[in-house]
Amino acid sequence: MPTILDGIATAAAIKRDLSRRVRSLRLHGVQPGLGTLLVGDDPASTRYVAGKHADCAEVGIHSIQRRLPADAGQDRILEEVRALNADPACTGFIVQLPLPGAIDPNAVINAIDPAKDADGMHPYNLGQLVLHIDGDPGTPQPCTPRGIIELIGSHGISLDGKDVCVIGRGVTVGRTIGLLLTRRGENATVTLCHTGTTDITRHMRQADVIIAAAGQPGFVTPERIRPGAVLVDVGISRVLDAETGRYRIRGDVDRACYPKASAYTPNPGGVGPMTRAMLLTNVVEIAERAVGETRPE
């Protein structure tokens, strides 16, 4: 039977540890605080931000919520970013993407203080990952890639020497996860595949691990994987069910692949909870660095 890489249970264990660390920080007079900036009223973004603040309440992290209307201009958004940069109660924060209209998301991300970059996506922090191949760079790390690696490792699966095929070249996962996977601690060999890849099926069949982040429902099928592969499903698509007339969530990995795999992430319930847990982890680690503590092993 394949191993189910249960993100819900693993994230719950991480949050229990974070609760203990938050209590320790309070003994040093430090209260970690997570800020969010939500622009507009997109239902999915609103639910996602609400979930982050529910997580904060669970582990004892202070919530700082900022919201702007959908017609807020870039100058107004940048003004709010600068306010969060300067707020001493805000340990780290995120600007919820996507941003509406003609707002330049890169300009907004660049305006975040790298030391408060709870998503770990500021160019400075990504650059630190490039420079540090031997371990923790001491800066916030991208949440979804870090969550994937934590989830795999927590189930006793080694990435050392494994061939990993990453599908999709988005910044959130595809273009960033290779920086973590190729550190000496993970020691994996990474192939990044995308729409320009010739014979993508060949790369998938050769892989020990497939990380699918293409946003194409059912893209990974049984005939495209090797027996015993580890399957990590990052993609989320809303697909109309012809029988019910309702939309349902489908991942990039066809569920028919599961019996052929040695391990897989359910979707939902796999990578998503880990991304949120890593967001909290980044905030707590930022606070720990401020008081000179080190992350427990």
Side-chain angles (χ1 to χ4, degrees):
M1 292 289 292
T3 298
I4 300 174
L5 304 179
D6 187 341
I8 295 174
T10 306
I14 291 170
K15 287 190 283 188
R16 287 193 294 271
D17 177 63
L18 291 175
S19 296
R20 176 186 59 79
R21 291 159 65 181
V22 168
R23 290 194 297 270
S24 177
L25 283 164
R26 286 175 180 159
L27 295 177
H28 291 84
V30 175
Q31 170 61 62
L34 171 66
T36 59
L37 175 56
L38 177 63
V39 183
D41 53 5
D42 175 74
S45 293
T46 300
R47 287 193 301 270
Y48 191 54
V49 168
K52 291 173 182 177
H53 289 290
D55 290 340
C56 285
E58 188 176 346
V59 303
I61 293 175
H62 177 56
S63 288
I64 303 161
Q65 302 186 50
R66 299 285 186 267
R67 190 160 188 169
L68 294 174
D71 59 357
Q74 185 152 311
D75 288 344
R76 180 68 185 89
I77 295 171
L78 292 174
E79 178 184 338
E80 200 64 51
V81 168
R82 288 189 289 269
L84 288 166
N85 284 338
D87 185 351
C90 177
T91 306
F93 69 97
I94 63 108
V95 177
Q96 182 62 39
L97 300 178
L99 292 168
I103 305 300
D104 180 0
N106 289 331
V108 174
I109 292 171
N110 286 341
I112 296 172
D113 179 349
K116 289 192 171 188
D117 171 28
D119 260 340
M121 296 299 292
H122 190 281
Y124 174 84
N125 293 327
L126 295 179
Q128 289 300 304
L129 287 179
V130 173
L131 293 173
H132 293 80
I133 63 171
D134 289 312
D136 185 350
T139 51
Q141 298 179 35
C143 296
T144 301
R146 186 179 184 184
I148 290 169
I149 293 171
E150 292 274 353
L151 181 58
I152 292 172
S154 71
H155 286 78
I157 299 171
S158 173
L159 293 168
D160 188 11
K162 299 293 178 63
D163 288 320
V164 180
C165 177
V166 179
I167 304 170
R169 53 184 164 188
V171 175
T172 303
V173 178
R175 296 181 67 82
T176 51
I177 194 166
L179 297 173
L180 278 70
L181 287 169
T182 53
R183 296 180 300 187
R184 288 195 174 93
E186 283 70 45
N187 220 30
T189 298
V190 179
T191 301
L192 175 59
C193 295
H194 45 76
T195 52
T197 301
T198 301
D199 196 1
I200 193 170
T201 298
R202 175 174 61 85
H203 294 288
M204 294 166 65
R205 285 176 178 164
Q206 292 174 346
D208 301 303
V209 180
I210 295 176
I211 300 174
Q216 297 186 34
F219 183 78
V220 180
T221 54
E223 65 274 11
R224 304 180 95 174
I225 67 172
R226 66 188 298 179
V230 175
L231 306 177
V232 178
D233 192 353
V234 186
I236 296 178
S237 302
R238 293 177 72 247
V239 178
L240 182 64
D241 189 317
E243 293 184 2
T244 65
R246 296 182 178 181
Y247 284 94
R248 59 188 179 91
I249 298 296
R250 282 196 64 192
D252 286 1
V253 176
D254 189 326
R255 295 186 178 185
C257 294
Y258 294 170
K260 193 174 180 180
S262 63
Y264 66 88
T265 62
N267 192 345
V271 174
M274 293 300 296
T275 297
R276 284 166 50 177
M278 292 301 103
L279 179 71
L280 302 180
T281 300
N282 275 341
V283 172
V284 171
E285 287 182 346
I286 293 169
E288 288 173 340
R289 284 190 286 268
V291 295
E293 293 188 354
T294 58
R295 180 186 176 196
E297 295 297 333

